[in-house]
Amino acid sequence: DSPIVATIERSAAQVFHAGRLSFLCSGLFVRQSLRVASRQVKRHGGAGKLAQDVGGAVLDRLAHPIETVGMAWGTVCMGAEAIRDGVGFVQETMERQREANDENYVEIIQ
């Protein structure tokens, strides 16, 4: 086998195993989340009591619309900041990669 074929085979095996691990971890995460959710429902007095509490919270938010708008606006701003930070991180990473590739290219030429 040539080095390229061996590298491709190794990469494919790594991708397969990473996907398999992700699938197994997501299954564990779902099971644990269901356990925690069922315990929380029981702790709060059952599904009926929990529905009443949620309904009360909804009515409270409807009764105070200015507060609700302020909370919603804060959430939108926080989401926009998270997106901005994520884009900045990607840009910085790409610039570092580009600089590293430029340095490697110059070394290869010399």
Side-chain angles (χ1 to χ4, degrees):
D1 287 339
S2 70
I4 293 174
V5 173
T7 302
I8 291 172
E9 288 176 347
R10 194 171 342 145
S11 298
Q14 289 173 347
V15 167
F16 171 74
H17 289 298
R20 200 166 133 201
L21 180 63
S22 295
F23 179 73
L24 292 173
C25 288
S26 66
L28 291 172
F29 177 77
V30 168
R31 270 190 249 146
Q32 183 64 19
S33 298
L34 289 173
R35 273 190 213 128
V36 169
S38 67
R39 287 180 187 160
Q40 289 296 325
V41 168
K42 287 178 187 174
R43 196 177 118 221
H44 286 284
K49 177 74 170 115
L50 192 60
Q52 285 178 340
D53 291 346
V54 169
V58 168
L59 286 176
D60 186 46
R61 290 296 99 210
L62 290 174
H64 301 93
I66 294 176
E67 248 181 69
T68 304
V69 169
M71 291 170 66
W73 180 250
T75 302
V76 168
C77 290
M78 190 171 58
E81 288 175 10
I83 290 171
R84 185 194 66 206
D85 292 344
V87 168
F89 175 75
V90 169
Q91 284 178 337
E92 289 175 11
T93 303
M94 294 299 291
E95 287 173 7
R96 275 190 254 126
Q97 265 187 338
R98 193 174 308 129
E99 289 171 2
N101 287 340
D102 289 345
E103 290 172 5
N104 289 339
Y105 182 72
V106 169
E107 289 177 10
I108 292 172
I109 290 176
Q110 294 174 353

